[in-house]
Amino acid sequence: MSPAVSSHGKKISAPDNLYTVILALAFCAVLATAAFVAYECYAQYETIFSIQ
């Protein structure tokens, strides 16, 4: 068997940009959810943070 020939198949790797896009979309989703919750709290209770 020749040492130049690999007996294992090639691993399919996703480009780094794909993971960056997924991370950015997840960050935007969390940020949008936090902004929506803050807006709804202010709209309904007229305050965002209230300690009682």
PDB file of all heavy atoms in Angstrom, residues 11-28:
ATOM      1  N   LYS A  11     -13.171  14.187   4.734  1.00  0.00           N
ATOM      2  CA  LYS A  11     -14.212  14.764   5.582  1.00  0.00           C
ATOM      3  C   LYS A  11     -14.752  16.016   4.904  1.00  0.00           C
ATOM      4  O   LYS A  11     -13.983  16.822   4.399  1.00  0.00           O
ATOM      5  CB  LYS A  11     -13.655  15.130   6.956  1.00  0.00           C
ATOM      6  CG  LYS A  11     -13.236  13.914   7.772  1.00  0.00           C
ATOM      7  CD  LYS A  11     -12.640  14.348   9.075  1.00  0.00           C
ATOM      8  CE  LYS A  11     -13.743  14.578  10.058  1.00  0.00           C
ATOM      9  NZ  LYS A  11     -13.263  14.905  11.400  1.00  0.00           N
ATOM     10  N   ILE A  12     -16.039  16.123   4.884  1.00  0.00           N
ATOM     11  CA  ILE A  12     -16.661  17.310   4.313  1.00  0.00           C
ATOM     12  C   ILE A  12     -16.717  18.372   5.403  1.00  0.00           C
ATOM     13  O   ILE A  12     -17.287  18.144   6.474  1.00  0.00           O
ATOM     14  CB  ILE A  12     -18.079  17.005   3.794  1.00  0.00           C
ATOM     15  CG1 ILE A  12     -18.011  15.943   2.701  1.00  0.00           C
ATOM     16  CG2 ILE A  12     -18.758  18.258   3.292  1.00  0.00           C
ATOM     17  CD1 ILE A  12     -19.354  15.456   2.243  1.00  0.00           C
ATOM     18  N   SER A  13     -16.099  19.498   5.143  1.00  0.00           N
ATOM     19  CA  SER A  13     -16.102  20.562   6.139  1.00  0.00           C
ATOM     20  C   SER A  13     -16.839  21.771   5.583  1.00  0.00           C
ATOM     21  O   SER A  13     -16.662  22.147   4.424  1.00  0.00           O
ATOM     22  CB  SER A  13     -14.674  20.960   6.523  1.00  0.00           C
ATOM     23  OG  SER A  13     -14.003  21.474   5.394  1.00  0.00           O
ATOM     24  N   ALA A  14     -17.667  22.355   6.422  1.00  0.00           N
ATOM     25  CA  ALA A  14     -18.392  23.556   6.029  1.00  0.00           C
ATOM     26  C   ALA A  14     -17.457  24.749   6.105  1.00  0.00           C
ATOM     27  O   ALA A  14     -16.564  24.783   6.951  1.00  0.00           O
ATOM     28  CB  ALA A  14     -19.585  23.769   6.951  1.00  0.00           C
ATOM     29  N   PRO A  15     -17.651  25.705   5.240  1.00  0.00           N
ATOM     30  CA  PRO A  15     -16.793  26.898   5.309  1.00  0.00           C
ATOM     31  C   PRO A  15     -17.026  27.682   6.597  1.00  0.00           C
ATOM     32  O   PRO A  15     -18.101  27.639   7.184  1.00  0.00           O
ATOM     33  CB  PRO A  15     -17.207  27.714   4.094  1.00  0.00           C
ATOM     34  CG  PRO A  15     -18.376  27.058   3.495  1.00  0.00           C
ATOM     35  CD  PRO A  15     -18.570  25.733   4.148  1.00  0.00           C
ATOM     36  N   ASP A  16     -15.988  28.381   7.032  1.00  0.00           N
ATOM     37  CA  ASP A  16     -16.090  29.163   8.262  1.00  0.00           C
ATOM     38  C   ASP A  16     -17.145  30.249   8.146  1.00  0.00           C
ATOM     39  O   ASP A  16     -17.751  30.631   9.146  1.00  0.00           O
ATOM     40  CB  ASP A  16     -14.743  29.796   8.594  1.00  0.00           C
ATOM     41  CG  ASP A  16     -13.732  28.749   9.036  1.00  0.00           C
ATOM     42  OD1 ASP A  16     -14.159  27.684   9.513  1.00  0.00           O
ATOM     43  OD2 ASP A  16     -12.538  29.006   8.901  1.00  0.00           O
ATOM     44  N   ASN A  17     -17.370  30.742   6.954  1.00  0.00           N
ATOM     45  CA  ASN A  17     -18.356  31.799   6.776  1.00  0.00           C
ATOM     46  C   ASN A  17     -19.764  31.327   7.100  1.00  0.00           C
ATOM     47  O   ASN A  17     -20.589  32.104   7.571  1.00  0.00           O
ATOM     48  CB  ASN A  17     -18.325  32.326   5.335  1.00  0.00           C
ATOM     49  CG  ASN A  17     -17.066  33.102   5.052  1.00  0.00           C
ATOM     50  OD1 ASN A  17     -16.416  33.591   5.966  1.00  0.00           O
ATOM     51  ND2 ASN A  17     -16.725  33.218   3.790  1.00  0.00           N
ATOM     52  N   LEU A  18     -20.043  30.053   6.889  1.00  0.00           N
ATOM     53  CA  LEU A  18     -21.366  29.519   7.207  1.00  0.00           C
ATOM     54  C   LEU A  18     -21.627  29.610   8.707  1.00  0.00           C
ATOM     55  O   LEU A  18     -22.703  30.019   9.136  1.00  0.00           O
ATOM     56  CB  LEU A  18     -21.470  28.072   6.734  1.00  0.00           C
ATOM     57  CG  LEU A  18     -22.779  27.354   7.047  1.00  0.00           C
ATOM     58  CD1 LEU A  18     -23.946  28.031   6.332  1.00  0.00           C
ATOM     59  CD2 LEU A  18     -22.689  25.902   6.646  1.00  0.00           C
ATOM     60  N   TYR A  19     -20.637  29.250   9.507  1.00  0.00           N
ATOM     61  CA  TYR A  19     -20.795  29.316  10.958  1.00  0.00           C
ATOM     62  C   TYR A  19     -20.917  30.766  11.427  1.00  0.00           C
ATOM     63  O   TYR A  19     -21.658  31.056  12.363  1.00  0.00           O
ATOM     64  CB  TYR A  19     -19.625  28.632  11.659  1.00  0.00           C
ATOM     65  CG  TYR A  19     -19.550  27.160  11.374  1.00  0.00           C
ATOM     66  CD1 TYR A  19     -18.428  26.602  10.772  1.00  0.00           C
ATOM     67  CD2 TYR A  19     -20.608  26.323  11.697  1.00  0.00           C
ATOM     68  CE1 TYR A  19     -18.370  25.249  10.500  1.00  0.00           C
ATOM     69  CE2 TYR A  19     -20.561  24.976  11.428  1.00  0.00           C
ATOM     70  CZ  TYR A  19     -19.439  24.436  10.827  1.00  0.00           C
ATOM     71  OH  TYR A  19     -19.380  23.107  10.559  1.00  0.00           O
ATOM     72  N   THR A  20     -20.227  31.664  10.768  1.00  0.00           N
ATOM     73  CA  THR A  20     -20.324  33.081  11.109  1.00  0.00           C
ATOM     74  C   THR A  20     -21.725  33.604  10.818  1.00  0.00           C
ATOM     75  O   THR A  20     -22.293  34.356  11.610  1.00  0.00           O
ATOM     76  CB  THR A  20     -19.282  33.890  10.321  1.00  0.00           C
ATOM     77  OG1 THR A  20     -17.990  33.345  10.587  1.00  0.00           O
ATOM     78  CG2 THR A  20     -19.305  35.346  10.706  1.00  0.00           C
ATOM     79  N   VAL A  21     -22.298  33.198   9.707  1.00  0.00           N
ATOM     80  CA  VAL A  21     -23.657  33.625   9.350  1.00  0.00           C
ATOM     81  C   VAL A  21     -24.671  33.058  10.332  1.00  0.00           C
ATOM     82  O   VAL A  21     -25.573  33.771  10.780  1.00  0.00           O
ATOM     83  CB  VAL A  21     -23.999  33.204   7.899  1.00  0.00           C
ATOM     84  CG1 VAL A  21     -25.462  33.405   7.602  1.00  0.00           C
ATOM     85  CG2 VAL A  21     -23.142  33.980   6.912  1.00  0.00           C
ATOM     86  N   ILE A  22     -24.522  31.801  10.700  1.00  0.00           N
ATOM     87  CA  ILE A  22     -25.444  31.196  11.671  1.00  0.00           C
ATOM     88  C   ILE A  22     -25.339  31.898  13.017  1.00  0.00           C
ATOM     89  O   ILE A  22     -26.351  32.179  13.670  1.00  0.00           O
ATOM     90  CB  ILE A  22     -25.161  29.682  11.811  1.00  0.00           C
ATOM     91  CG1 ILE A  22     -25.529  28.963  10.524  1.00  0.00           C
ATOM     92  CG2 ILE A  22     -25.919  29.089  12.991  1.00  0.00           C
ATOM     93  CD1 ILE A  22     -25.107  27.523  10.484  1.00  0.00           C
ATOM     94  N   LEU A  23     -24.125  32.205  13.458  1.00  0.00           N
ATOM     95  CA  LEU A  23     -23.922  32.912  14.718  1.00  0.00           C
ATOM     96  C   LEU A  23     -24.519  34.309  14.666  1.00  0.00           C
ATOM     97  O   LEU A  23     -25.167  34.756  15.627  1.00  0.00           O
ATOM     98  CB  LEU A  23     -22.433  32.971  15.038  1.00  0.00           C
ATOM     99  CG  LEU A  23     -22.048  33.628  16.362  1.00  0.00           C
ATOM    100  CD1 LEU A  23     -22.614  32.818  17.528  1.00  0.00           C
ATOM    101  CD2 LEU A  23     -20.543  33.727  16.471  1.00  0.00           C
ATOM    102  N   ALA A  24     -24.348  34.991  13.551  1.00  0.00           N
ATOM    103  CA  ALA A  24     -24.912  36.337  13.401  1.00  0.00           C
ATOM    104  C   ALA A  24     -26.434  36.298  13.408  1.00  0.00           C
ATOM    105  O   ALA A  24     -27.085  37.154  14.024  1.00  0.00           O
ATOM    106  CB  ALA A  24     -24.402  36.975  12.109  1.00  0.00           C
ATOM    107  N   LEU A  25     -27.028  35.323  12.752  1.00  0.00           N
ATOM    108  CA  LEU A  25     -28.494  35.206  12.747  1.00  0.00           C
ATOM    109  C   LEU A  25     -29.028  34.897  14.145  1.00  0.00           C
ATOM    110  O   LEU A  25     -30.057  35.452  14.562  1.00  0.00           O
ATOM    111  CB  LEU A  25     -28.933  34.118  11.768  1.00  0.00           C
ATOM    112  CG  LEU A  25     -28.785  34.457  10.288  1.00  0.00           C
ATOM    113  CD1 LEU A  25     -29.131  33.244   9.433  1.00  0.00           C
ATOM    114  CD2 LEU A  25     -29.656  35.645   9.913  1.00  0.00           C
ATOM    115  N   ALA A  26     -28.348  34.037  14.873  1.00  0.00           N
ATOM    116  CA  ALA A  26     -28.772  33.721  16.237  1.00  0.00           C
ATOM    117  C   ALA A  26     -28.658  34.950  17.131  1.00  0.00           C
ATOM    118  O   ALA A  26     -29.548  35.224  17.941  1.00  0.00           O
ATOM    119  CB  ALA A  26     -27.929  32.575  16.795  1.00  0.00           C
ATOM    120  N   PHE A  27     -27.569  35.713  16.989  1.00  0.00           N
ATOM    121  CA  PHE A  27     -27.389  36.929  17.777  1.00  0.00           C
ATOM    122  C   PHE A  27     -28.484  37.947  17.461  1.00  0.00           C
ATOM    123  O   PHE A  27     -29.052  38.553  18.368  1.00  0.00           O
ATOM    124  CB  PHE A  27     -26.014  37.526  17.499  1.00  0.00           C
ATOM    125  CG  PHE A  27     -25.779  38.828  18.209  1.00  0.00           C
ATOM    126  CD1 PHE A  27     -25.539  38.846  19.573  1.00  0.00           C
ATOM    127  CD2 PHE A  27     -25.817  40.025  17.519  1.00  0.00           C
ATOM    128  CE1 PHE A  27     -25.330  40.046  20.235  1.00  0.00           C
ATOM    129  CE2 PHE A  27     -25.619  41.227  18.171  1.00  0.00           C
ATOM    130  CZ  PHE A  27     -25.368  41.245  19.535  1.00  0.00           C
ATOM    131  N   CYS A  28     -28.802  38.108  16.172  1.00  0.00           N
ATOM    132  CA  CYS A  28     -29.858  39.052  15.782  1.00  0.00           C
ATOM    133  C   CYS A  28     -31.218  38.612  16.308  1.00  0.00           C
ATOM    134  O   CYS A  28     -32.025  39.450  16.714  1.00  0.00           O
ATOM    135  CB  CYS A  28     -29.896  39.207  14.264  1.00  0.00           C
ATOM    136  SG  CYS A  28     -28.480  40.112  13.609  1.00  0.00           S
TER     137      CYS A  28
END
